[in-house]
C-alpha cells in the first residue's frame, strides 16, 4: 500500500527536524564540502555528525563522493537550497509579525499607564 503524500511530507520535514542537519544543509548551499570542513564549521562530535550525514544521505537530501580518504558532501538538488531560503523568508515574516504584535502590546501598556 502506498504512503499518502501528506505522510511522506511529514517524514520529509521530520528529517529536517535536527539543528545539525539544517546547519549541514546551510553550509552545503555554498558548494560541496569535505567532512573535515563540515566538522570544523559545526560544534558537534564526529560520530554525531556522521549519524546526521547518514540520515541526510538516506533521505537523498545530500550526496557523498569519496576521493581517497576524503568524503565530500553536496546538496542533491538546488531545490534543497531553495527550501532553506523559503524557510528563512517565512521565519522573517513570522518575526516581523511578532515584532508588530509586541509593539502593539507595548503601546497598549503605555496607553493603560496614562489612563
Amino acid at each position: 500500500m502506498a504512503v499518502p503524500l501528506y505522510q511522506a511530507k511529514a517524514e520529509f520535514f521530520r528529517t529536517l527536524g535536527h539543528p545539525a542537519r539544517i546547519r549541514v544543509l546551510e553550509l552545503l548551499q555554498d558548494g560541496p564540502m569535505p567532512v573535515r570542513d563540515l566538522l570544523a564549521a559545526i560544534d558537534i562530535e564526529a560520530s554525531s555528525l556522521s549519524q546526521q550525514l547518514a540520515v541526510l544521505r538516506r533521505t537523498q537530501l545530500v550526496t557523498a563522493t569519496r576521493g581517497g580518504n576524503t568524503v565530500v558532501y553536496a546538496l542533491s538538488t538546488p531545490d534543497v537550497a531553495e527550501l532553506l531560503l523559503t524557510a528563512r523568508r517565512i521565519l522573517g515574516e513570522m518575526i516581523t509579525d511578532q515584532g508588530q504584535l509586541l509593539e502593539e502590546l507595548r503601546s497598549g501598556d503605555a496607553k493603560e499607564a496614562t489612563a
Side-chain angles (χ1 to χ4, degrees):
M1 185 164 149
V3 173
L5 181 56
Y6 64 87
Q7 189 174 344
K9 287 179 182 179
E11 278 299 315
F12 173 76
F13 283 109
R14 265 194 288 278
T15 299
L16 298 175
H18 194 284
R21 288 184 221 139
I22 294 294
R23 187 65 186 129
V24 166
L25 296 174
E26 288 175 343
L27 291 167
L28 295 178
Q29 289 180 99
D30 295 330
M33 288 181 78
V35 173
R36 70 177 173 276
D37 291 354
L38 289 170
L39 195 54
I42 303 172
D43 186 25
I44 191 172
E45 295 291 325
S47 60
S48 184
L49 178 60
S50 179
Q51 290 172 349
Q52 303 310 324
L53 289 169
V55 170
L56 293 171
R57 271 194 327 268
R58 209 171 26 254
T59 56
Q60 299 177 353
L61 288 170
V62 299
T63 59
T65 55
R66 182 177 293 277
N69 290 338
T70 302
V71 179
V72 176
Y73 282 87
L75 296 179
S76 61
T77 172
D79 291 335
V80 175
E82 183 63 32
L83 176 65
L84 294 171
L85 181 60
T86 299
R88 185 181 193 96
R89 282 195 305 263
I90 292 168
L91 287 171
E93 290 172 14
M94 290 169 61
I95 291 169
T96 298
D97 290 345
Q98 289 173 359
Q100 290 170 348
L101 178 59
L102 182 59
E103 255 182 61
E104 289 175 27
L105 287 169
R106 286 182 177 157
S107 68
D109 287 346
K111 288 177 188 174
E112 289 174 9
T114 59

